[in-house]
């Protein structure tokens, strides 16, 4: 009599795996939890990285791609050279196409005893940690300020060396200036200045919100020229013109000595994006990998315990004709099903995390379809690898030895 070899159909293996998980549902849920966290982290990391990269692109195009800074390096080139910027720097740049606003600014050197307050030095409230910045009207416009009250000083205030200032809303609050209707004055040392405007915010150089902005000519008359190399020029350009302006600005400003000025163009957005993306991916994918390893260890441990608990069942199956590979297939299918289930749930949680963060930050979520498709497969492969050792142990169980227990 010929005995046909036993077979284990795919349908039978799946039904056995489902039965094994439903036998202890609580254990199955806890076992799959590590895979859920790992795959969820995997999807959330890739989705948030792609979303943040798109946000960097957008912000770069709006601000950074239209900003050029020109530094005074005349002293580095020649110790006897004077200021690198000419007095008519803004007028010289009007011949360069693509420039929206431009101006020179520097931090004024004040005596250590000089105070800034609503009364002359020695009386009334003063503000600490506040610097005085000399800024031409073009430089103020290049900051892209949002005026809370009042107005910005103009070219007339610059030419006539008026005693006017612009202050940030934080400085105004510290000095008790709540309105400009009463024409409040601000004293820098013993010099009185009229507060022309209060600035609520700036899009460039936000550190200037903590400063008092004074017309450049006024500051030069009161406190002298900037320190050698202390002045910079801020240029706001049209979109796409920044690198061309950076190449032409030194020559337009100082045709006699263009090397006295150093133009700093905006960084390459592709390099910026790739750098941020790689840093974020390396950090968070490491965390996702750790979660997957923890999930794999949990599946392997639970499956191994199941092998020990079901030794009698395995022996009975072997006695009825099941082969070692059938037993291995049964436990591999069970562990792979746990991993795939954890992968599906983790993918859903990862997508919800990305969408939730984007809603909170008012961003547009970006998730690559390949990430969504690959994430459940990652969970399945994790479960499959985790079940290799327990399945091998189950296949080596001897029927006679198992039935004695």
């Amino acid at each position: 009599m010929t005995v046909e070899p036993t077979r284990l159909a795919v349908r039978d293996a799946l039904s056995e795996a489902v039965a094994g998980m439903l036998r202890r549902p609580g254990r199955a849920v806890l076992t799959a939890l590590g895979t859920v966290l790992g795959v969820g982290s995997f999807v959330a990391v890739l989705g948030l990285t792609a979303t943040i990269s798109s946000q960097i692109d957008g912000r770069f195009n709006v601000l950074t791609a239209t900003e050029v800074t020109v530094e005074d390096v005349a002293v580095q080139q020649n110790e006897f050279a004077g200021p690198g910027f000419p007095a008519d720097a803004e007028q010289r740049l009007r011949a360069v196409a693509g420039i929206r606003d431009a101006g020179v600014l520097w931090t004024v050197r004040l005596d250590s005893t000089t105070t800034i307050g609503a009364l002359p030095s020695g009386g009334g409230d003063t503000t600490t940690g506040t610097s005085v910045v000399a800024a031409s009207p073009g430089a103020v416009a290049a900051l892209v300020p949002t005026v809370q009250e009042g107005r910005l000083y103009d070219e007339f205030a610059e030419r006539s060396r008026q005693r006017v200032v612009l202050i940030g809303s934080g400085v105004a609050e510290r000095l008790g200036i709540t309105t400009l209707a009463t024409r409040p004055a601000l004293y820098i040392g013993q010099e009185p200045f009229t507060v022309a405007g209060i600035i609520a915010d700036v899009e460039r150089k936000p550190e200037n919100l903590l400063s008092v902005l004074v017309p450049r000519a006024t500051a030069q008359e009161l406190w002298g020229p900037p320190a050698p190399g202390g002045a910079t020029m801020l240029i706001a350009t049209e979109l796409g013109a920044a690198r061309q302006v950076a190449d032409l600005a030194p020559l337009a400003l100082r045709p006699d000595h263009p090397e006295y000025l150093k133009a700093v163009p905006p960084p390459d957005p592709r390099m910026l994006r790739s750098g941020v993306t790689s840093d974020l991916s390396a950090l968070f994918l490491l965390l996702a990998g750790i979660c997957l390893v923890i999930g794999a260890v949990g599946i392997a441990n639970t499956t191994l315990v199941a092998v020990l608990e079901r030794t009698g069942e395995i022996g009975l199956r072997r006695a009825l004709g099941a082969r070692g590979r059938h037993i291995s297939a049964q436990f591999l299918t069970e562990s792979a099903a746990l991993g795939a289930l954890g992968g599906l749930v983790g993918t859903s949680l990862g997508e919800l995390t990305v969408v939730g963060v984007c809603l909170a930050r008012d961003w547009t979520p970006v998730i690559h379809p390949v990430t969504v498709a690959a994430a459940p497969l990652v969970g399945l492969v994790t479960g499959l690898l985790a079940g290799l050792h327990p399945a091998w142990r189950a296949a080596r169980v001897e029927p006679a030895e198992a039935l004695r227990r």
Side-chain angles (χ1 to χ4, degrees):
M1 183 176 65
T2 304
V3 179
E4 294 185 4
T6 57
R7 294 182 177 88
L8 181 66
V10 175
R11 179 179 178 181
D12 295 334
L14 290 174
S15 64
E16 289 292 340
V18 172
M21 288 188 293
L22 293 179
R23 186 179 292 117
R24 295 179 181 272
R27 177 188 291 180
V29 170
L30 292 176
T31 301
L33 185 59
T35 308
V36 169
L37 295 176
V39 174
S41 302
F42 175 80
V43 173
V45 164
L46 294 183
L48 289 175
T49 301
T51 301
I52 292 172
S53 296
S54 67
Q55 293 299 314
I56 290 173
D57 286 346
R59 294 189 180 186
F60 184 92
N61 289 335
V62 173
L63 291 176
T64 314
T66 59
E67 179 180 320
V68 175
T69 303
V70 183
E71 301 174 354
D72 182 357
V73 294
V75 177
Q76 300 177 20
Q77 301 293 328
N78 183 354
E79 61 179 332
F80 300 106
F85 292 106
D88 58 345
E90 287 85 350
Q91 287 74 16
R92 295 191 182 195
L93 282 183
R94 288 173 184 169
V96 180
I99 295 179
R100 296 177 58 185
D101 299 293
V104 178
L105 69 163
W106 71 85
T107 301
V108 175
R109 294 174 294 175
L110 296 175
D111 186 84
S112 58
T113 59
T114 302
T115 59
I116 300 172
L119 293 174
S121 292
D125 295 333
T126 61
T127 177
T128 58
T130 302
S131 59
V132 177
V133 175
S136 66
V140 174
L143 295 174
V144 194
T146 300
V147 180
Q148 176 177 312
E149 191 174 351
R151 65 184 184 89
L152 306 177
Y153 53 72
D154 52 18
E155 293 290 345
F156 175 77
E158 172 84 4
R159 290 194 304 270
S160 58
R161 297 176 172 80
Q162 291 185 5
R163 304 297 199 266
V164 293
V165 295
L166 299 173
I167 58 176
S169 56
V171 176
E173 184 177 351
R174 277 186 279 177
L175 292 175
I177 300 175
T178 58
T179 179
L180 299 185
T182 56
R183 301 181 62 84
L186 182 146
Y187 284 83
I188 303 176
Q190 299 295 329
E191 294 291 337
F193 290 80
T194 300
V195 179
I198 299 175
I199 300 175
D201 196 10
V202 293
E203 295 188 11
R204 294 189 176 91
K205 310 295 184 185
E207 62 271 15
N208 288 290
L209 286 173
L210 300 177
S211 304
V212 175
L213 301 179
V214 181
R216 178 185 57 175
T218 304
Q220 196 159 350
E221 180 181 63
L222 291 174
W223 301 294
T232 60
M233 171 171 271
L234 181 63
I235 303 175
T237 72
E238 300 292 345
L239 189 61
R243 290 194 170 271
Q244 176 185 353
V245 169
D247 293 336
L248 296 177
L251 187 61
L253 290 168
R254 291 295 300 265
D256 54 338
H257 289 289
E259 71 276 8
Y260 284 2
L261 301 172
K262 177 185 177 182
V264 182
D268 188 344
R270 292 170 297 181
M271 295 178 61
L272 180 63
R273 181 176 64 249
S274 63
V276 173
T277 301
S278 62
D279 290 343
L280 289 174
S281 298
L283 175 61
F284 289 110
L285 285 179
L286 177 62
L287 298 178
I290 293 174
C291 290
L292 282 175
V293 170
I294 295 173
V297 171
I299 292 176
N301 183 56
T302 305
T303 307
L304 188 58
V305 171
V307 170
L308 298 176
E309 289 179 349
R310 295 160 65 182
T311 301
E313 176 190 336
I314 295 170
L316 180 59
R317 288 178 180 274
R318 292 296 304 275
L320 294 175
R323 297 189 177 184
R325 64 174 181 269
H326 299 152
I327 303 299
S328 298
Q330 176 187 342
F331 283 95
L332 281 175
T333 304
E334 187 172 330
S335 61
L338 283 172
L341 180 63
L344 289 171
V345 176
T347 302
S348 302
L349 291 178
E351 291 177 348
L352 289 175
T353 300
V354 174
V355 173
V357 171
C358 292
L359 286 176
R361 302 288 297 177
D362 197 20
W363 293 346
T364 301
V366 179
I367 304 177
H368 202 283
V370 175
T371 302
V372 179
L377 294 178
V378 171
L380 188 147
V381 172
T382 301
L384 195 62
L385 294 176
L388 286 176
H389 178 67
W392 175 75
R393 288 283 302 271
R396 296 187 61 192
V397 172
E398 293 294 336
E401 183 66 27
L403 291 173
R404 287 198 197 101
R405 298 181 182 182

